[in-house]
Amino acid sequence: MYQDRIRRPALLNKVMDAQQAAQLFRSGMSVGMSGFTRAGDAKALPLALVERARREPLSLTLITGASLGNDSDGLMAEAGLLARRLPFQSDAALRRKINAGEVMFIDQHLSETAEQLRSRSLAAVDIAVIEASAILADGSIVPTMSVGNSASFAQQAGQIIIELNLSTPLALEGLHDIYVPGARPGRAPIPLTSPEQRIGVASIAVDPARIAAIVITDSPDSPSTVQPPDAETAAIAGHVIAFLEGEVAAGRMGPQLLPLQAGIGSIANAVLHGLIGSPFHDMTMFSEVLQDSAIELLDSGQLAMASASSITLSAPMHEKFMRDIARYRDKIVLRPQEISNHPEIVRRLGIIALNTALEFDLYGNVNSTHVCGTHMMNGIGGSGDFARNGQLSLFVSKSVAKGGRVSSVVPMVSHVDHTEHDVDVLVSEWGLADLRGLAPRERAPLIIERCAHPDYRPQLRAYFDAACRRGGHTPHVLEQALSWHTRYQADGTMLDA
Amino acid sequence: MYQDRIRRPALLNKVMDAQQAAQLFRSGMSVGMSGFTRAGDAKALPLALVERARREPLSLTLITGASLGNDSDGLMAEAGLLARRLPFQSDAALRRKINAGEVMFIDQHLSETAEQLRSRSLAAVDIAVIEASAILADGSIVPTMSVGNSASFAQQAGQIIIELNLSTPLALEGLHDIYVPGARPGRAPIPLTSPEQRIGVASIAVDPARIAAIVITDSPDSPSTVQPPDAETAAIAGHVIAFLEGEVAAGRMGPQLLPLQAGIGSIANAVLHGLIGSPFHDMTMFSEVLQDSAIELLDSGQLAMASASSITLSAPMHEKFMRDIARYRDKIVLRPQEISNHPEIVRRLGIIALNTALEFDLYGNVNSTHVCGTHMMNGIGGSGDFARNGQLSLFVSKSVAKGGRVSSVVPMVSHVDHTEHDVDVLVSEWGLADLRGLAPRERAPLIIERCAHPDYRPQLRAYFDAACRRGGHTPHVLEQALSWHTRYQADGTMLDA
């Protein structure tokens, strides 16, 4: 029974199956789809497009909020459907296609895609595909577990396909706060001044005449794949909490801290989990995605509210959230990713940003994306939006990977996503390096002694000593700067023989 | 006759000579001085402190707006006065000390220093030294040719030393617009929505009780050292103007363009100079420094107004400016650098950012600061504030340096100041590469064929081909990625034998 979810009767005749809706697409089109960190993605159209692409050539530019669930990205990539993909992904099959040069991937700061569409730095979206829990009488859409870029897609697309997901509770209405900045020049300040504030409306405005299809679905979001905390992530959490206690003790913030952002992934989730039972209270989150830990902190009473662009939970936590949604709804605001990640807002609120590094170097530059400088993992996501503009930018990583054969602390990162200017604090299971106000030559010894794995410290010390003998503001032995990576590629380990 | 410039009579007894004022400093203090790109710097105290440091040990942290004139930075560095220096410099002697590891230099985005002082990520300023053209009845200060971080220094410092410069015209009053964002949490939006808008007050608020000394000076700012346009900078200007004409033709902006930012230096100055006689009109600037070209464009009538944090002119242009100041004053607003460079404002206004690269790589990453990855030139300055947040980010460079022995286009930059996400357009005298919406593998051929010097194109093509055979989203031959730099260090040229 979907009729009670389509409150504009004239739209009932737009209901069709996904295969029919898939006929609306033409090769070369730019498509904007809902979906952010596996939450609120379109479930039916990706599969229907894959079916079509198996029968006839079909090649699209696909823009989303962030990563999709349900293996959609991989299936679409393998069907040859994706000529161009932005701004983020986390699918193994799509990753292979990207690294083989078969899919052109535009890795973007998640706050920027909507802006670039608006200013026409990117070609306009032709079709939008947006998951909804209801369509209101004015044709506007109540999104589901993410907002992402859907409001901008709906504003721009000539045709809009709505996936009405019957498995989502109607109680989602009221969870979202939709605000889209105006065009430039002449834009007004974004009026948001605190994480809980609502500045927009509860549904995504849509011109009903452009609704080309409504497809009924009922599959749930893919559950989060986050790993449970382990000894190392617990140690990292301990260092972060001790550091934040120091900030409070120094009077740089109160016991409610500043609004917290945490990147997606197991380590950031573990750090937030570690805040349970900490001395902090009345905390807020202003983040892009809420993971299990955010719900746990709401339950513990320490988190007063959480603002984000999506909610990505494990299966049991998802079930609990949906059961108690009336209680959570008042404590959560879901916003467009342009607002959740906006430099203006992140700088104004003074976020504490907590993101994961793939590797970092002696001077505090961070690689979040490229394995050995060349092969894309997922994408930069929102980490830069927060790291660049927050009051405090922390990057966390385990000190080694691949059973100790890869050091996360290297002489020079093989790819730079975050420059040393955007990195205040580095944390591994061994300790924490507070880099604020330090010159490169002061940063290096701190990073080596606090964060590097003890097995790698002698090599790092030797490199830094040799580099200092060569001189420079940021000393390097240039011909050896990337030798750890090439040694790993040749010998399977970064450890000196 | 300085009495008419001190309009709070109780302060007249604070007048003393610079040597006396220099006695207020103690080793270990943090000192905030006015001065931004050689404009509005303190003239007397740096020399008095140098004198004192030659007699007795004295070691300070020095924070300014940006670079100082009058060789002050070099003299202070050579006297051993500077333990720590931020956020920018451009002095040859200080540069040597920094690269020798003798001065700890904290290279910062120019919008961030005031924020970090406010949040106490940096130790508080003990003494502020601010050049003024007048002190008003309420004790507030009318700054001179720059605002820089002076308003934040005055807010924070326990003691304030004013250098009253009698060579500056009293007509400077009314040129400045002083607005300082509030503390976080609880900060309001910065209300600026267009370049000409005034949101603050005309003088820097000062608690008169904290004015510890007033030193009378009369030396002018050091003149700009910018080079006149040459054939190559004229070619670069031509490419930029043709590109902007294309943007107007495509309807992405009107003939007034969007507010322009141009980094300090000869190439950016030449590009702005090239706008004289272009079809654009009613343009505005929202930049950090105004060079000769800004005055020329005001004179040509094409520039309606200009907002910045400082004015740095050649000697003849300075003379002209001072003579006609009444006319220019209505068309120029000088702001704190935190506002001129603020991410919130730069993103809201949709700036066209034009900055100079030292080198850039096949994928669009830019090095603005470090020669061969290690030796600091000047600092990142405001380039990142604008490049990250503007609507369009252009980086310009001549294709070669050192008589052709150094290519500005390299396989991998030896230091990353601006990641590929922040670089929309690259320009050399050979042409312009529009990188918007392109994946790394699409960027490389464009950059090689449009921007690289023809002598280096075969080498670059060979590198890129070999890299693509290895695979990856951002292909590299890691063991050769920095080989151009090491070859230059060994053989004096980046050209293949």
Side-chain angles (χ1 to χ4, degrees):
Chain A
M1 292 304 294
Y2 57 79
Q3 285 77 356
D4 61 327
R5 291 181 187 248
I6 303 180
R7 314 222 181 109
R8 187 178 179 92
L11 290 175
L12 284 168
N13 67 5
K14 296 290 185 185
V15 174
M16 62 181 80
D17 64 27
Q19 286 67 32
Q20 277 181 285
Q23 293 302 318
L24 296 167
F25 295 75
R26 292 192 309 277
S27 252
M29 275 185 165
S30 178
V31 177
M33 283 194 186
S34 66
F36 192 108
T37 56
R38 311 164 75 86
D41 51 337
K43 312 295 190 296
L45 260 298
L47 296 181
L49 288 166
V50 165
E51 259 181 57
R52 208 187 129 188
R54 284 177 182 154
R55 289 194 312 271
E56 54 180 321
L58 183 63
S59 161
L60 303 169
T61 292
L62 176 62
I63 312 178
T64 56
S67 54
L68 303 179
N70 301 294
D71 301 325
S72 295
D73 259 327
L75 293 168
M76 288 191 283
E78 290 186 336
L81 198 56
L82 303 182
R84 192 170 289 275
R85 180 76 177 88
L86 54 157
F88 186 81
Q89 63 79 39
S90 66
D91 182 280
L94 173 53
R95 183 182 301 143
R96 278 193 299 274
K97 292 276 188 186
I98 290 168
N99 286 320
E102 294 167 25
V103 174
M104 293 295 103
F105 178 54
I106 325 297
D107 178 32
Q108 295 196 309
H109 295 295
L110 295 184
S111 80
E112 293 189 349
T113 311
E115 193 79 275
Q116 292 188 17
L117 285 170
R118 188 179 302 114
S119 66
R120 297 172 50 205
S121 291
L122 292 172
V125 165
D126 299 297
I127 299 189
V129 183
I130 302 174
E131 188 181 73
S133 66
I135 303 169
L136 304 185
D138 59 359
S140 68
I141 299 171
V142 178
T144 58
M145 294 292 270
S146 72
V147 179
N149 286 315
S150 297
S152 292
F153 295 154
Q155 218 170 43
Q156 187 169 68
Q159 300 181 88
I160 298 162
I161 299 172
I162 299 172
E163 285 202 4
L164 195 64
N165 189 330
L166 306 185
S167 80
T168 61
L170 283 166
L172 287 177
E173 196 175 338
L175 183 69
H176 313 92
D177 183 55
I178 312 299
Y179 177 97
V180 178
R184 299 178 295 205
R187 180 178 297 171
I190 303 171
L192 191 77
T193 57
S194 63
E196 73 282 3
Q197 195 183 342
R198 288 175 178 272
I199 59 174
V201 294
S203 57
I204 295 174
V206 170
D207 171 7
R210 286 190 283 130
I211 298 179
I214 299 171
V215 174
I216 310 300
T217 70
D218 64 356
S219 4
D221 288 342
S222 297
S224 156
T225 54
V226 76
Q227 301 295 309
D230 59 26
E232 285 156 355
T233 61
I236 291 172
H239 300 311
V240 171
I241 290 165
F243 169 76
L244 293 174
E245 287 177 335
E247 292 299 288
V248 174
R252 281 193 282 265
M253 53 187 73
Q256 74 283 19
L257 305 180
L258 285 161
L260 294 166
Q261 176 263 338
I264 193 149
S266 303
I267 304 184
N269 187 61
V271 171
L272 285 197
H273 178 84
L275 287 171
I276 298 169
S278 74
F280 312 123
H281 54 80
D282 294 308
M283 293 184 286
T284 57
M285 284 187 74
F286 195 83
S287 196
E288 59 183 23
V289 53
L290 304 181
Q291 300 184 257
D292 284 16
S293 51
I295 307 298
E296 293 169 342
L297 282 167
L298 286 172
D299 287 345
S300 82
Q302 287 165 283
L303 191 63
M305 68 79 53
S307 165
S309 193
S310 85
I311 305 174
T312 301
L313 303 174
S314 66
M317 191 60 91
H318 188 266
E319 193 182 316
K320 174 176 150 66
F321 177 83
M322 288 304 186
R323 198 171 54 233
D324 296 344
I325 189 162
R327 188 160 61 81
Y328 291 119
R329 205 180 51 178
D330 294 339
K331 295 179 176 169
I332 293 178
V333 184
L334 290 191
R335 311 179 187 278
Q337 69 197 73
E338 189 178 8
I339 301 300
S340 64
N341 290 34
H342 203 290
E344 171 174 344
I345 308 302
V346 173
R347 182 90 168 233
R348 182 182 301 149
L349 297 180
I351 303 296
I352 299 173
L354 187 77
N355 290 288
T356 305
L358 201 60
E359 61 179 5
F360 46 87
D361 70 22
L362 291 183
Y363 303 110
N365 300 287
V366 168
N367 175 7
S368 309
T369 55
H370 281 68
V371 176
C372 281
T374 56
H375 282 63
M376 173 58 67
M377 272 296 293
N378 300 329
I380 195 167
S383 55
D385 291 321
F386 294 100
R388 292 173 167 197
N389 298 296
Q391 169 153 336
L392 273 176
S393 165
L394 294 83
F395 279 91
V396 296
S397 175
K398 294 186 183 185
S399 66
V400 290
K402 305 277 179 195
R405 288 173 290 123
V406 168
S407 173
S408 306
V409 188
V410 292
M412 177 188 270
V413 287
S414 55
H415 178 90
V416 176
D417 290 295
H418 308 288
T419 71
E420 51 109 347
H421 308 284
D422 303 320
V423 181
D424 293 317
V425 174
L426 288 169
V427 196
S428 78
E429 72 276 20
W430 296 98
L432 179 147
D434 180 357
L435 307 175
R436 290 176 293 177
L438 298 186
R441 285 175 187 245
E442 297 171 306
R443 291 177 157 223
L446 207 58
I447 292 171
I448 296 170
E449 306 306 331
R450 298 281 169 85
C451 299
H453 191 286
D455 289 353
Y456 284 97
R457 287 183 198 170
Q459 286 177 232
L460 287 165
R461 288 181 200 124
Y463 179 88
F464 180 60
D465 289 347
C468 286
R469 286 194 295 274
R470 296 254 184 117
H473 175 60
T474 304
H476 274 297
V477 181
L478 218 53
E479 67 276 19
Q480 294 172 20
L482 299 174
S483 65
W484 292 35
H485 301 86
T486 53
R487 187 185 313 141
Y488 173 71
Q489 289 177 324
D491 306 338
T493 180
M494 287 185 175
L495 269 175
D496 273 346
Chain B
M1 291 305 296
Y2 59 79
Q3 285 79 355
D4 60 329
R5 292 181 185 247
I6 302 179
R7 312 220 184 111
R8 187 178 179 94
L11 290 174
L12 285 167
N13 66 6
K14 298 289 184 184
V15 174
M16 61 182 78
D17 64 28
Q19 287 65 33
Q20 276 181 287
Q23 292 302 317
L24 295 168
F25 296 74
R26 289 192 310 276
S27 251
M29 276 185 165
S30 178
V31 177
M33 282 194 186
S34 66
F36 191 108
T37 55
R38 311 165 74 88
D41 53 335
K43 312 294 190 296
L45 260 296
L47 297 181
L49 287 167
V50 165
E51 259 182 58
R52 206 186 130 191
R54 285 176 182 153
R55 291 194 312 270
E56 55 180 320
L58 184 63
S59 160
L60 303 170
T61 291
L62 177 61
I63 313 179
T64 56
S67 54
L68 303 179
N70 301 295
D71 301 325
S72 295
D73 259 328
L75 292 168
M76 287 190 283
E78 290 184 336
L81 198 56
L82 303 183
R84 192 171 289 274
R85 179 76 177 87
L86 57 157
F88 186 82
Q89 63 79 38
S90 65
D91 183 278
L94 173 53
R95 183 182 300 142
R96 278 194 297 276
K97 291 276 188 187
I98 289 168
N99 287 320
E102 293 167 26
V103 174
M104 294 295 103
F105 178 53
I106 325 295
D107 178 32
Q108 295 197 307
H109 296 295
L110 295 184
S111 81
E112 293 190 349
T113 311
E115 193 79 274
Q116 292 187 19
L117 285 170
R118 189 179 302 114
S119 65
R120 296 172 50 205
S121 291
L122 292 172
V125 164
D126 298 297
I127 299 188
V129 183
I130 302 173
E131 187 180 75
S133 68
I135 304 168
L136 305 185
D138 60 359
S140 67
I141 301 170
V142 178
T144 58
M145 293 292 269
S146 71
V147 179
N149 286 315
S150 296
S152 292
F153 296 153
Q155 219 171 44
Q156 187 169 69
Q159 299 181 89
I160 298 162
I161 299 172
I162 300 172
E163 285 202 4
L164 196 64
N165 189 329
L166 306 184
S167 80
T168 61
L170 282 167
L172 288 177
E173 196 175 336
L175 183 69
H176 314 91
D177 182 55
I178 312 297
Y179 178 95
V180 179
R184 300 178 295 205
R187 180 180 297 173
I190 302 171
L192 192 78
T193 58
S194 64
E196 73 283 4
Q197 195 183 342
R198 289 176 177 271
I199 59 173
V201 294
S203 57
I204 296 174
V206 170
D207 170 7
R210 288 189 281 133
I211 297 178
I214 299 171
V215 174
I216 310 300
T217 71
D218 64 358
S219 9
D221 289 342
S222 297
S224 157
T225 54
V226 78
Q227 300 296 309
D230 58 27
E232 285 155 354
T233 60
I236 291 172
H239 300 311
V240 171
I241 289 164
F243 169 77
L244 293 174
E245 286 177 335
E247 291 299 289
V248 174
R252 283 193 281 266
M253 53 187 71
Q256 73 283 20
L257 304 181
L258 286 161
L260 293 165
Q261 175 263 337
I264 193 149
S266 303
I267 305 185
N269 187 59
V271 172
L272 285 196
H273 179 83
L275 287 171
I276 298 168
S278 73
F280 312 122
H281 53 80
D282 295 309
M283 293 184 285
T284 57
M285 284 188 74
F286 194 84
S287 197
E288 60 183 22
V289 53
L290 304 181
Q291 300 184 257
D292 283 16
S293 51
I295 306 299
E296 293 168 343
L297 281 167
L298 285 171
D299 287 345
S300 82
Q302 289 165 281
L303 190 63
M305 68 79 53
S307 164
S309 192
S310 85
I311 305 174
T312 302
L313 303 174
S314 66
M317 190 61 88
H318 187 266
E319 193 180 315
K320 175 175 150 65
F321 178 85
M322 288 303 186
R323 196 170 57 233
D324 296 344
I325 189 161
R327 188 161 61 83
Y328 290 119
R329 204 181 51 176
D330 294 340
K331 296 180 177 170
I332 292 178
V333 184
L334 290 191
R335 311 179 187 279
Q337 69 198 72
E338 188 178 8
I339 302 299
S340 64
N341 291 34
H342 203 289
E344 172 173 343
I345 307 303
V346 174
R347 182 90 168 233
R348 181 182 301 150
L349 297 180
I351 303 297
I352 299 173
L354 187 77
N355 291 288
T356 305
L358 200 60
E359 61 179 5
F360 47 87
D361 70 22
L362 292 184
Y363 303 109
N365 300 287
V366 167
N367 175 8
S368 309
T369 55
H370 281 69
V371 176
C372 282
T374 56
H375 282 63
M376 173 59 66
M377 274 293 294
N378 299 330
I380 194 166
S383 54
D385 290 322
F386 294 99
R388 292 174 166 196
N389 298 297
Q391 169 154 336
L392 274 176
S393 165
L394 294 83
F395 280 90
V396 296
S397 176
K398 295 187 182 184
S399 66
V400 290
K402 305 278 179 195
R405 289 174 288 121
V406 168
S407 173
S408 306
V409 187
V410 292
M412 178 188 269
V413 287
S414 57
H415 178 90
V416 176
D417 289 296
H418 308 288
T419 70
E420 51 110 347
H421 308 284
D422 302 320
V423 181
D424 293 318
V425 174
L426 289 170
V427 197
S428 79
E429 72 276 20
W430 296 97
L432 178 147
D434 180 356
L435 308 175
R436 291 176 292 176
L438 298 185
R441 284 175 188 245
E442 298 170 305
R443 291 177 157 223
L446 207 59
I447 293 170
I448 295 171
E449 306 307 330
R450 300 281 170 84
C451 299
H453 191 285
D455 290 352
Y456 284 96
R457 287 182 199 171
Q459 288 176 232
L460 287 164
R461 291 182 198 123
Y463 179 89
F464 180 59
D465 289 346
C468 285
R469 286 194 294 275
R470 296 252 183 120
H473 175 61
T474 304
H476 274 297
V477 180
L478 219 54
E479 68 274 20
Q480 294 172 20
L482 299 173
S483 64
W484 292 35
H485 301 86
T486 53
R487 187 185 314 141
Y488 174 70
Q489 289 177 325
D491 307 337
T493 180
M494 287 186 176
L495 269 176
D496 272 347

